Amino acid sequence: MNEYGDITARTAGFVVAEYLKRGLPLLCLEKVLQLVVISKNNTKTAKWRRWNSLDSTPANLALVEGVTPTGQDMTHTDVEANLSQYGGLIEFTDVVIDTNDDFPEALREWVNIQGEQIAQLVEKIRYLVVRAGTNKFYSTGTARTDVNVAFSAGLQKKIVRALKRQNAQFMTEIVKSTPSFNTEAVLPAFWGFAHIDCEDDIRSATGFIDAKDYGTTRPVEGEVGSIGNCRYILSNIFEPYASGGAAYNGSGTAMITTDGVSADVYPILYFGRNAAAGIALKGENAVVPSVLMPKPVAGDRLGQRGSIGYKMMQGAVILNDAWMAVAEVAVKELA
């Protein structure tokens, strides 16, 4: 038996392609992260290196006639992410095979469903990392427990100003939603990611432009529109902090609440270029599939059980907190 179980390496490649084909369009954060591919039998730690800027203070760079200046040393900052192994398994019996007229088609559909699981799992892993960013902004107050006001264009302006002050750069290319490792150019902008509950508040903000009105600019999956130089993508994955804010109706406008007392708090994630990184869900080693057909073996002497599953190594890390921001807002309850 090889590492893929009862399928060949060639068939395993097909299964991986099916996983990625179904899963990738659901990956929002994949588009803006700095991605690396971890090869097989490699380290459990991924490392990103950033070369630091040189001192540009005029007084330190003034030349003295006839004197060679002192050379400047290059320095760098390394950021590491510890990778963890994840996986899933679907079990079936010989009876399923014997009584199913089209078992191969059922098997294919199970692969597709696991592909969705993989995408959601990877997105949640990344989301939990990046929402913990320390560059925080609140729709009101100075802490999450103060929040009971919805998103506004004014809040976005504060965030964009802060990002620019830290020399955060606009995203100018994103990773394509295909199994291949390709990027595509996009108009310069910061990218914001939010839960779908935030849609009405974002659409109601001053200056909102619907994605369908972009003209020659093509929106990506999940994109609803833009405000100024920020484009917004929505997903169910970006879950709120249930009842994490202030009194849900304390601002005079009722906000979504889980416990009927405090407002739910929704993170909106803003990214500049090279703000965060992760392990790419692309390439032949991105997901290792395994298929076992029922057959007599130790522990299953009558050959009654089979399975289809996968395993993968994943992780994410914030490279520079100052180049991304986390806004925490409430969401208006619909009338």
Side-chain angles (χ1 to χ4, degrees), residues 253-264:
T253 301
M255 301 291 162
I256 293 177
T257 174
T258 297
D259 65 2
V261 177
S262 302
D264 293 348

Side-chain angles (χ1 to χ4, degrees), residues 158-191:
K158 292 179 182 179
I159 293 169
V160 169
R161 176 187 293 173
L163 291 174
K164 288 183 175 180
R165 281 179 173 175
Q166 294 297 325
N167 296 320
Q169 299 179 351
F170 288 138
M171 301 294 304
T172 56
E173 62 180 22
I174 60 173
V175 178
K176 286 185 176 182
S177 294
T178 63
S180 59
F181 202 100
N182 295 321
T183 60
E184 60 181 316
V186 294
L187 291 177
F190 293 125
W191 286 64

Side-chain angles (χ1 to χ4, degrees), residues 90-94 292-294 300 304-308:
I90 295 174
E91 294 185 322
F92 56 89
T93 67
D94 57 334
L292 292 177
M293 301 301 291
D300 183 17
Q304 295 173 286
R305 299 187 302 275
S307 65
I308 174 173

Side-chain angles (χ1 to χ4, degrees), residues 261-290:
V261 177
S262 302
D264 293 348
V265 178
Y266 291 77
I268 303 179
L269 311 174
Y270 292 86
F271 290 88
R273 190 190 310 171
N274 297 328
I279 304 305
L281 192 61
K282 296 176 183 287
E284 62 178 343
N285 296 312
V287 183
V288 179
S290 175

